[in-house]
Amino acid sequence: MTAPSILLLAIGLAMDATAVAAAQGISIPRVMPRQALLMASLFGGFQAMMPVVGWAVGERVGSVVERWDHWIAFGLLSAIGGTLLWKSFRGSASEEGASDGDAFELRVLLVLAVATSIDALAVGFTLPMLDAPFVATITTIGVVTALLSLCGLWAGRRFGGLLGPRLDALGGCVLIGLGTKILLEHLGA
């Protein structure tokens, strides 16, 4: 897996967290720097941790499914991307944010961090089959998610509810495109 592919994967995975961060930014009148850092740390941390769990499972069963790895990667990435696209058309990104003053309560942020990183768990399963460099991939996913979450939070405060569903749609398209690229590369090889 190349560096641009890893970056695209990280951006695609970060879109749901970015959309939720934007929704959180919309939901309160003022965001304190410590709130922004807490959200970015939790979202980035969970987004990086979940592929590690998925990776560990994928590494153990990877040799069994090696003949089908490109189809599995395509299926998982397309399913996750399709879910993000579906959510974007339903407009659920803005519903995920807390609407009261507790939007940045630790409990709320932990639930959101886990919810937005489930897709990273599924992606982690496919990474050993794609020979993705472990540390670079996990670090890229975590850092990109943290940075894009901060951007989403800022954008939510600045531009209101216009971005949430569009970010999910973009993330969905990126993940589907990456899955298609992986499938085409393996079928053409």
Side-chain angles (χ1 to χ4, degrees):
M1 191 168 208
T2 64
S5 293
I6 292 169
L7 184 59
L8 281 175
L9 174 67
I11 291 169
L13 288 173
M15 287 298 113
D16 54 347
T18 305
V20 169
Q24 292 294 92
I26 293 166
S27 70
I28 64 170
R30 185 166 189 258
V31 178
M32 305 296 291
R34 68 177 173 76
Q35 293 170 318
L37 289 175
L38 178 61
M39 175 183 273
S41 297
L42 288 173
F43 283 17
F46 273 86
Q47 200 81 340
M49 180 184 68
M50 291 297 222
V52 172
V53 174
W55 194 307
V57 172
E59 204 167 51
R60 286 186 175 72
V61 298
S63 62
V64 176
V65 295
E66 192 170 348
R67 290 187 334 175
W68 304 98
D69 62 352
H70 49 285
W71 285 104
I72 293 169
F74 171 73
L76 287 173
L77 291 172
S78 294
I80 294 163
T83 301
L84 287 174
L85 282 172
W86 182 68
K87 281 180 10 181
S88 74
F89 291 117
R90 280 192 31 228
S92 65
S94 61
E95 295 167 8
E96 292 179 28
S99 60
D100 58 287
D102 296 332
F104 288 90
E105 184 178 301
L106 181 61
R107 176 181 48 86
V108 171
L109 291 179
L110 282 171
V111 168
L112 291 174
V114 169
T116 60
S117 63
I118 295 298
D119 53 351
L121 176 70
V123 167
F125 178 77
T126 66
L127 293 176
M129 295 177 248
L130 302 173
D131 293 324
F134 182 79
V135 174
T137 302
I138 300 307
T139 302
T140 302
I141 289 170
V143 170
V144 165
T145 300
L147 291 175
L148 289 179
S149 294
L150 286 174
C151 292
L153 184 60
W154 175 81
R157 287 297 327 127
R158 181 94 171 130
F159 300 113
L162 300 173
L163 297 178
R166 288 179 177 88
L167 290 175
D168 272 344
L170 176 62
C173 289
V174 167
L175 290 178
I176 291 169
L178 185 58
T180 302
K181 177 184 177 285
I182 289 166
L183 180 62
L184 293 175
E185 283 177 352
H186 278 67
L187 291 177

